[in-house]
């Protein structure tokens, strides 16, 4: 055990010599590149010309309240432009961590200051101490070759934070990213914010960008989301999935009478694929909805307190069958862009 600990400590101190898979030598060995990626960021204010952030587009997606006065970790910070941006937005403390020693040196030269700290470390190292932060940036790192165990790193970083900004890579399917964020991040909310510009590739539509948090929301978010998206040209398909007794039919009736849903088709428990596919603006309430709709934009999971649920069933024998049907339903599939876990009303 002490040899293992000593090995991990050595790795933490000298990541540039790291050859991965320290835990089991039976696994194949992946060599990590070091000192190869030192010109990633542009910073016109310092006459630095790099590959990205020529237009600062992705920086505009950060919410000030996620950063001002907060402790921020930029995991895979490269030469520190995002760290610097967080300082400008008023972060209390920003830590930039990267495996690439040359990039970290450059970050220190460019952006050292009273509220910044830079660390050369390997996110794969299980003994690398990572303190809790309010906000974690995990931008264009998830798919890089230097990550040996990307999902466990995502899970670990998510566990440290209340808010995470996540950016995928050129060619990444945003629906796949959203699914991975739900599966390994355990967030209450995963919002797809669109594609950010990718100056590295002319042929790219950009990189999928997300904001995730742990704020518990309630059903009032559904009409708000509908209002936000209804004016956009593109189709809008939302699935509100919840167990029997969560109050879906009650909500469907309420929303049908709500002017904010004008122009939106509300389907309650309608298992008709053709109708679902051919309806452009749709809010679908169903315990199966996550499994049979092909392209949901927004997936809302309606959580219900078990005692409330059972109280609603009281004296209704049909409900038991409904519950058994739910148990036979295959698990919800990851086919959405944004996800919201919300609390059902206790009185509804
Ligand atoms: C494509 S760059 C993105 C830089 C920055 N996050 C941004 O979006 O502007 C990926 C960075 O992740 C770092 N990285 C990759 N694997 C890492 C690991 N295992 N531990 C720490 N940093 C890592 C790389 O060294 C590189 O600087």
């Amino acid at each position: 055990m002490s040899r293992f600990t000593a090995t991990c400590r050595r790795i933490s101190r000298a990541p540039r010599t790291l050859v991965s898979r320290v835990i089991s030598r039976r696994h194949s060995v992946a060599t990590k590149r070091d000192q190869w990626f030192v010109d990633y960021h542009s910073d016109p204010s310092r006459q630095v010309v790099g590959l990205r952030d020529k237009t600062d587009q992705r920086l505009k997606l950060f919410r000030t309240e996620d950063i001002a006065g907060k402790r921020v970790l930029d995991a895979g910070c490269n030469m520190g432009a995002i760290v610097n941006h967080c300082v400008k937005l008023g972060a209390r403390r920003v830590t930039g961590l990267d495996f690439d020693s040359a990039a970290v040196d450059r970050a220190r030269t460019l952006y050292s200051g009273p509220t910044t700290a830079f660390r050369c470390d390997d996110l794969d190292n299980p003994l690398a101490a990572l303190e809790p932060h309010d906000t974690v940036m995990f931008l264009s790192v998830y798919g890089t070759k230097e990550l040996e165990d990307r999902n466990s790193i995502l899970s670990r970083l998510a566990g440290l934070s209340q808010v995470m900004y996540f950016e995928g890579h050129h060619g990444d399917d945003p629906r796949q990213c959203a699914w991975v964020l739900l599966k390994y991040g355990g967030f209450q909310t995963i919002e797809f914010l669109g594609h950010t510009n990718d100056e590295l590739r002319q042929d790219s539509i950009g990189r999928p960008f997300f904001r995730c948090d742990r704020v518990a929301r309630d059903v009032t978010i559904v009409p708000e989301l509908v209002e936000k998206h209804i004016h956009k040209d593109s189709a809008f398909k939302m699935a509100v999935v919840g167990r029997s007794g969560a109050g879906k039919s009650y909500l469907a009736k309420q929303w049908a009478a709500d002017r904010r849903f004008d122009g939106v088709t509300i389907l309650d428990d309608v298992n008709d694929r053709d109708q679902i596919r051919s309806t452009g603006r749709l809010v679908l309430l169903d315990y199966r909805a996550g499994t049979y709709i092909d392209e949901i934009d927004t997936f809302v999971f309606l959580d219900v307190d078990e005692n409330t649920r059972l109280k609603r069933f009281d004296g209704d024998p049909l409900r038991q069958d409904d519950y058994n049907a739910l148990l036979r339903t295959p698990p919800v599939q990851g086919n959405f862009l944004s996800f919201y876990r919300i609390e059902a009303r206790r009185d509804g």
Side-chain angles (χ1 to χ4, degrees):
M1 186 60 199
S2 63
R3 246 181 79 200
F4 172 72
T5 309
T7 309
C8 290
R9 291 225 171 99
R10 188 160 47 78
I11 289 161
S12 180
R13 280 198 299 271
R16 53 215 138 268
T17 59
L18 176 67
V19 179
S20 67
R21 291 286 183 202
V22 289
I23 293 172
S24 165
R25 292 187 183 181
R26 281 174 293 131
H27 291 285
S28 63
V29 172
T31 307
K32 301 197 179 197
R33 297 165 294 181
D34 183 33
Q35 307 204 342
W36 72 285
F37 209 21
V38 288
D39 58 352
Y40 195 65
H41 295 134
S42 284
D43 184 346
S45 70
R46 289 170 169 76
Q47 285 81 50
V48 175
V49 180
L51 299 167
R52 284 204 74 191
D53 285 333
K54 292 196 177 79
T55 61
D56 284 359
Q57 184 208 0
R58 62 191 178 144
L59 307 183
K60 289 184 191 134
L61 295 171
F62 298 145
R63 287 195 201 164
T64 311
E65 68 265 27
D66 293 337
I67 295 170
K70 305 285 177 166
R71 298 162 304 166
V72 182
L73 172 68
D74 185 4
C77 66
N78 199 266
M79 51 188 275
I82 302 286
V83 169
N84 184 44
H85 188 71
C86 293
V87 170
K88 286 198 218 154
L89 286 174
R92 175 150 52 105
R93 181 98 186 136
V94 197
T95 305
L97 182 153
D98 203 285
F99 176 78
D100 192 301
S101 57
V104 172
D105 281 349
R106 204 136 184 241
R108 285 197 183 110
T109 309
L110 286 165
Y111 302 117
S112 281
T115 52
T116 57
F118 292 99
R119 258 175 83 173
C120 189
D121 220 328
D122 185 356
L123 290 165
D124 273 310
N125 178 4
L127 291 193
L130 295 172
E131 297 80 23
H133 287 74
D134 302 301
T135 300
V136 168
M137 307 287 175
F138 197 38
L139 309 176
S140 288
V141 180
Y142 178 80
T144 55
K145 288 185 188 165
E146 282 67 35
L147 286 197
E148 179 193 343
D149 193 352
R150 57 203 78 251
N151 289 331
S152 81
I153 290 172
L154 173 58
S155 175
R156 201 166 163 221
L157 292 173
L160 295 175
S161 58
Q162 295 303 314
V163 173
M164 176 182 270
Y165 284 93
F166 177 94
E167 186 181 54
H169 301 263
H170 162 77
D172 281 355
D173 177 354
R175 290 173 195 274
Q176 191 55 34
C177 295
W179 181 239
V180 162
L181 286 165
L182 179 63
K183 212 168 161 191
Y184 297 100
F187 293 107
Q188 300 274 95
T189 294
I190 297 161
E191 277 176 291
F192 175 59
L193 301 179
H195 284 90
T196 50
N197 58 320
D198 188 343
E199 304 93 333
L200 274 70
R201 309 193 53 134
Q202 296 270 317
D203 59 335
S204 180
I205 57 158
R207 299 174 181 227
F209 200 90
F210 295 83
R211 180 188 177 278
C212 313
D213 71 34
R214 304 190 181 286
V215 179
R217 292 176 170 84
D218 66 20
V219 292
T220 56
I221 193 165
V222 173
E224 285 166 22
L225 287 170
V226 168
E227 264 195 316
K228 195 164 133 191
H229 290 279
I230 194 78
H231 301 299
K232 294 188 179 161
D233 293 335
S234 57
F236 173 68
K237 292 195 182 186
M238 175 190 279
V240 180
V241 180
R243 291 172 69 183
S244 167
K248 296 183 297 295
S249 298
Y250 170 82
L251 288 170
K253 276 187 209 123
Q254 264 198 345
W255 293 339
D258 186 331
R259 294 212 55 190
R260 289 174 292 180
F261 288 80
D262 284 356
V264 177
T265 305
I266 298 172
L267 295 181
D268 181 20
D269 202 9
V270 177
N271 191 6
D272 178 342
R273 276 169 181 263
D274 291 339
Q275 189 180 3
I276 290 163
R277 285 207 180 114
S278 60
T279 308
R281 289 172 181 187
L282 176 71
V283 172
L284 177 68
L285 298 104
D286 198 326
Y287 65 87
R288 293 162 299 216
T291 68
Y292 60 64
I293 192 168
D294 285 343
E295 293 203 353
I296 309 164
D297 303 297
T298 306
F299 172 26
V300 177
F301 184 78
L302 190 56
D303 231 351
V304 61
D305 165 74
E306 191 58 17
N307 285 335
T308 309
R309 201 176 80 85
L310 290 175
K311 221 156 73 192
R312 286 175 188 167
F313 284 175
D314 231 8
D316 183 351
L318 291 175
R319 292 288 196 156
Q320 195 56 34
D321 293 331
D322 192 9
Y323 177 61
N324 288 336
L326 175 66
L327 292 180
R328 287 195 297 271
T329 305
V332 168
Q333 288 165 10
N335 204 7
F336 50 87
L337 289 169
S338 295
F339 170 84
Y340 299 84
R341 189 183 187 103
I342 60 171
E343 292 285 328
R345 283 212 174 100
R346 280 166 195 255
D347 53 350

